């Protein structure tokens, strides 16, 4: 797994841990729909770890579903996941944010072409004004 993929796997795991601590998932009894959502979240993480070829399509569909089903919890999911899975997920991002992620990808590709190490989190923080 590349460092870039590892960052996004960690973003997924953090989102999962955040989701299961919130209502309705933290309740003792949850609906079958909510239980299936959590099971799908776990499967996405497992498939990502296993390098499944379907992870991008499944991830796009899952993230899109999460934003539609649980919009009040959407802030618990790193915006990077929207960009990473792309497609329908991009509808949840303003153009200015998409532009920043494009720049971040270009910087990463440039570093990879030169054989240089790329500090994704530091570059991301700098580009988004987080440091």
């Amino acid at each position: 797994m590349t460092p870039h993929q590892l960052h996004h796997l960690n973003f997924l795991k953090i989102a999962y841990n955040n989701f299961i601590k919130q209502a309705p998932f933290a309740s003792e009894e949850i609906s079958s729909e909510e239980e299936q959502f959590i099971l799908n979240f776990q499967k996405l993480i497992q498939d990502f770890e296993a390098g499944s070829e379907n992870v991008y399509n499944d991830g796009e569909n899952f993230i899109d579903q999460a934003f539609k089903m649980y919009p009040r919890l959407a802030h618990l999911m790193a915006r990077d996941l929207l960009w990473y899975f792309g497609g329908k997920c991009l509808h949840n991002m303003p153009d200015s944010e998409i532009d920043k992620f494009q720049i971040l990808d270009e910087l990463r590709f440039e570093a990879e072409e030169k054989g240089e190490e790329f500090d994704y989190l530091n570059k991301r923080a700098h580009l988004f004004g987080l440091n």
Side-chain angles (χ1 to χ4, degrees):
M1 187 172 295
T2 70
H4 182 67
Q5 291 168 319
L6 189 56
H7 286 303
H8 289 84
L9 173 59
N10 287 332
F11 287 138
L12 268 179
K13 289 179 176 181
I14 290 167
Y16 172 81
N17 287 327
N18 288 335
F19 266 66
I20 62 172
K21 293 175 185 171
Q22 302 296 317
F25 308 108
S27 304
E28 285 190 31
E29 294 202 21
I30 63 174
S31 73
S32 59
E33 183 179 71
E34 292 155 351
E35 182 178 4
Q36 188 59 54
F37 178 84
I38 291 300
L39 291 172
N40 290 344
F41 211 150
Q42 292 170 345
K43 184 172 181 343
L44 178 61
I45 291 169
Q46 291 167 353
D47 288 351
F48 199 118
E49 290 175 323
S52 170
E53 61 187 51
N54 297 326
V55 77
Y56 289 104
N57 188 49
D58 293 347
E60 174 191 347
N61 290 329
F62 179 81
I63 300 296
D64 184 57
Q65 177 188 28
F67 269 70
K68 288 177 181 171
M69 291 176 66
Y70 305 103
R72 66 177 184 77
L73 299 178
H75 69 282
L76 300 174
M77 197 169 288
R79 307 291 293 172
D80 304 65
L81 294 171
L82 296 169
W83 177 253
Y84 186 79
F85 290 113
K88 297 179 275 192
C89 298
L90 299 179
H91 296 292
N92 296 296
M93 300 176 79
D95 289 343
S96 60
E97 189 176 30
I98 289 172
D99 292 343
K100 288 179 183 177
F101 277 108
Q102 285 177 325
I103 292 168
L104 186 59
D105 271 356
E106 289 168 8
L107 292 171
R108 180 172 58 89
F109 295 142
E110 185 177 306
E112 287 173 359
E113 285 178 4
K114 294 179 180 178
E116 299 173 352
E117 189 173 315
F118 183 75
D119 185 345
Y120 180 85
L121 296 177
N122 187 39
K123 293 285 186 189
R124 174 183 171 268
H126 178 73
L127 190 61
F128 282 85
L130 303 174
N131 61 357

